């Protein structure tokens, strides 16, 4: 089969690496990819949100199967366009991707499906939003409706912060179109966990547990990032709780989306708060987590390409997805300053040394090659140093041994990834 992966992060590197191992993969392309992906796939210079060009490339190159990594092209309708051309694709339609693309829509579906979530209100008028706050307790959570690159959620500790967030979003237009609406939501307390399921429109299969560390600092402190590392399995979600989440969240969402004529096909990534009242959904994402995908792909025993194809073809009910009995840890190396401003084009050496161990793989995110052949950083999160081991502790030790082989004076990482599982 001829396969195209869309995206350029560590998640897409892990997907390409896994897909390339399948005997069914004859040709693998990635648009736009990065320096690490170039070792697994042929790079195509088309941006992940250039829908027309991606569809054109898939047609011209007789691509059989497209795997979409990030949410933005899905929300823009890439999967719909490809299916119209008769090209099979892993990833939801725009109508189903609205589960991530609109927080108000996600809430509407949760209510209709009876999925437990925080109480909320939805507003496009600042005065109405502020009036609603009069009856709410603090802290309170304010979320821009649309895609805001992870910056659209404000946890306001007092009324001034809440009013300011409402003005920033609805009046000043801080998030543009993504902030033409907002939701105001009850603040939930508990342990935050992630849950992943493949859904084919009718059936669903839970993936192995995987958890990221969002905070930039050790001990899970400091500002949130896209994820500074991940580990799998995650003890916060033992197997018996996975079937509970399937029944509580995944199955009702699948039924509701199908009943509306917009079945969800792809991977649903559920953010949950384990409250004293039971699990409640914080958000849906319509894609793999990054860096959670890196640990999941590393642990997959079943041919990943066949699992993605079974999802696209509605064949999950008879699919047997298996995981290796070992743990995996991904340590993200980021540019100094991230998630604030950081330098680009700094030189990274030692990746080959880090990968010398056969249980280590370095997934690239923001990297490119200079004309002189040096590896350069071009993003905030730059490398995902991934190792396996008999348990999280062993995988963690191996991952940090590999990190220590990398010579990148302008980079940093957390030294405690996986601590909750050790
Ligand atoms: P979201 O993108 O909706 O997951 O929000 C980003 C982060 O904000 C989450 O990972 C949580 O840490 C936090 N958060 C979101 N909603 C709530 C809530 N209702 N209560 C407490 N924390 C929340
Ligand atoms: N690691 C969290 C995310 O991908 O959204």
């Amino acid at each position: 089969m001829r396969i195209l992966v869309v995206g350029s992060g560590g998640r897409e590197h892990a997907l390409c690496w896994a897909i390339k191992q399948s005997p069914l993969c004859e040709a693998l392309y990635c648009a736009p990819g990065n320096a690490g992906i170039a070792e697994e796939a042929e790079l195509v210079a088309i941006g992940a949100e250039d829908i027309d060009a991606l569809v054109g490339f898939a047609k011209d190159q007789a691509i059989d199967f497209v795997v979409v990594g990030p949410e933005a092209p899905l929300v823009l309708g890439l999967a719909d366009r490809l299916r119209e051309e008769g090209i099979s694709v892993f990833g939801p339609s725009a109508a189903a991707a609205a589960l991530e693309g609109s927080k108000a829509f996600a809430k509407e579906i949760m209510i209709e499906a009876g999925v437990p979530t925080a109480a909320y209100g939805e507003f496009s008028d600042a005065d109405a939003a502020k009036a609603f706050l009069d009856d709410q307790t603090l802290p309170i959570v304010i979320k821009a409706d649309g895609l805001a690159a992870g910056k659209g959620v404000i946890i306001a500790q007092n009324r001034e912060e809440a009013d300011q967030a409402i003005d920033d979003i609805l009046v000043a237009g801080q998030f543009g179109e993504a902030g033409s609406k907002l939701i105001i939501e009850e603040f939930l307390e508990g342990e935050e966990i992630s849950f992943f399921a493949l859904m084919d429109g009718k059936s669903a299969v839970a993936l192995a547990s995987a958890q990221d560390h969002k905070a930039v600092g050790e001990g899970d402190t400091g500002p949130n990032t896209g994820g500074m590392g991940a580990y799998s399995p995650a003890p916060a979600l033992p197997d018996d709780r996975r079937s509970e989440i399937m029944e509580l969240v995944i199955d009702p969402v699948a039924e509701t989306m199908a009943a509306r004529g917009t079945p969800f096909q792809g991977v649903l990534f559920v953010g949950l708060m384990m409250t004293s009242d039971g699990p409640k959904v914080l958000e849906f994402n319509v894609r793999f987590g990054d860096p959670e995908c890196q640990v999941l792909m590393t642990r997959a025993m079943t041919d990943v390409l066949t699992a993605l194809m079974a999802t696209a073809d509605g064949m999950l009910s008879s699919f047997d997805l298996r995981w290796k009995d070992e743990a995996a840890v991904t340590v993200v190396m980021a540019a100094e300053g991230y998630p604030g401003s950081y330098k680009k084009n700094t030189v990274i050496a030692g990746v080959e040394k880090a990968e010398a161990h056969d249980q280590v793989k370095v997934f690239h995110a923001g990297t490119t090659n200079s004309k002189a052949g040096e590896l350069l950083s071009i993003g905030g999160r730059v490398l995902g140093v991934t190792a396996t081991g008999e348990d999280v502790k062993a995988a963690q030790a191996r991952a940090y041994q590999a990190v220590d082989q990398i010579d990148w004076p302008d980079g940093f990482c957390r030294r405690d990834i996986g601590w909750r599982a050790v």
Side-chain angles (χ1 to χ4, degrees):
M1 292 178 71
R2 298 173 58 74
I3 296 149
L4 170 65
V5 173
V6 175
S8 62
R11 167 182 51 211
E12 289 77 21
H13 190 180
L15 287 166
C16 286
W17 172 80
I19 289 169
K20 197 188 171 188
Q21 293 172 38
S22 170
L24 294 174
C25 176
E26 284 160 346
L28 181 60
Y29 298 89
C30 184
N34 62 40
I37 294 175
E39 283 165 28
E40 332 279 350
E42 188 172 322
L43 301 192
V44 181
I46 301 175
E49 291 167 43
D50 189 345
I51 307 300
D52 288 336
L54 291 168
V55 174
F57 175 85
K59 279 167 63 183
D60 292 347
Q61 294 294 322
I63 297 293
D64 301 297
F65 189 52
V66 178
V67 178
V68 186
E71 64 280 9
L74 295 166
V75 171
L76 290 171
L78 177 58
D80 307 74
R81 288 281 305 280
L82 289 165
R83 285 192 199 106
E84 276 161 33
E85 298 293 344
I87 299 168
S88 181
V89 49
F90 176 84
S93 65
L99 284 175
E100 179 167 357
S102 164
K103 293 193 185 280
F105 176 76
K107 283 294 208 184
E108 191 182 311
I109 295 296
M110 287 185 240
I111 303 301
E112 196 173 317
V115 170
T117 186
Y120 80 112
E122 177 188 331
F123 304 93
S124 49
D125 175 72
D127 291 332
K130 288 178 192 169
F132 177 79
L133 285 181
D134 292 340
D135 303 323
Q136 304 300 311
T137 53
L138 293 161
I140 189 91
V141 185
I142 299 179
K143 301 183 175 182
D145 180 56
L147 295 182
K151 299 198 164 54
V153 176
I154 297 99
I155 298 176
Q157 300 297 337
N158 54 52
R159 183 64 195 254
E160 292 70 51
E161 280 175 26
D163 284 344
Q164 186 65 48
I166 291 170
D167 285 336
D168 289 346
I169 297 172
L170 290 180
V171 183
Q174 186 185 8
F175 301 110
E177 209 20 53
S180 60
K181 262 197 295 204
L182 56 72
I183 64 172
I184 300 180
E185 176 174 285
E186 167 198 13
F187 178 79
L188 299 176
E189 280 178 276
E191 186 176 2
E192 207 176 323
I193 63 154
S194 301
F195 185 84
F196 297 89
L198 294 179
M199 297 170 66
D200 71 4
K202 308 183 290 279
S203 302
V205 177
L207 299 188
S209 59
Q211 191 60 50
D212 67 347
H213 292 268
K214 293 200 201 315
V216 72
E218 274 151 32
D220 296 320
T221 55
N224 268 358
T225 70
M228 291 302 293
Y231 54 99
S232 174
L237 199 66
D239 285 353
D240 53 331
R241 293 224 90 171
R242 287 200 291 161
S243 49
E244 178 194 341
I245 306 294
M246 289 298 283
E247 284 164 29
L248 203 62
V249 181
I250 301 294
D251 296 342
V253 168
E255 272 170 42
T256 301
M257 294 302 286
R260 285 182 166 226
T262 52
F264 185 92
Q265 180 267 96
V267 57
L268 192 66
F269 163 7
V270 186
L272 292 148
M273 195 70 96
M274 305 309 248
T275 74
S276 51
D277 256 359
K280 294 190 180 181
V281 173
L282 292 175
E283 64 162 348
F284 291 128
N285 297 293
V286 300
R287 51 168 176 85
F288 284 105
D290 183 345
E292 293 93 323
C293 187
Q294 289 81 315
V295 285
L296 289 171
M297 292 302 120
T298 310
R299 287 194 62 216
M301 190 154 78
T302 312
D303 179 332
V304 166
L305 177 58
T306 61
L308 303 178
M309 286 166 51
T311 305
D313 294 344
M315 303 292 279
L316 278 181
S317 63
S318 55
F319 196 82
D320 185 20
L321 186 56
R322 300 202 177 193
W323 303 93
K324 292 178 193 156
D325 200 22
E326 42 184 29
V329 167
T330 295
V331 177
V332 168
M333 297 186 78
E336 201 62 68
Y338 173 81
S341 62
Y342 50 82
K343 269 198 283 184
K344 287 188 180 174
N345 296 307
T346 61
V347 177
I348 304 164
V351 170
E352 275 170 32
K353 259 202 288 179
E355 284 189 316
H357 196 290
D358 64 2
Q359 280 172 282
V360 174
K361 174 73 189 172
V362 178
F363 294 114
H364 292 226
T367 65
T368 189
N369 284 314
S370 73
K371 286 209 179 80
E374 287 166 322
L375 185 64
L376 300 179
S377 73
I378 51 161
R381 292 188 296 165
V382 174
L383 299 173
V385 179
T386 303
T388 55
E390 64 179 28
D391 52 21
V392 171
K393 191 168 185 210
Q396 182 196 52
R398 189 166 286 130
Y400 282 112
Q401 276 163 16
V403 163
D404 291 337
Q405 301 299 312
I406 293 178
D407 178 14
W408 182 29
D410 297 282
F412 77 100
C413 67
R414 277 179 58 166
R415 298 292 309 189
D416 64 346
I417 298 305
W419 68 271
R420 287 176 192 274
V422 172

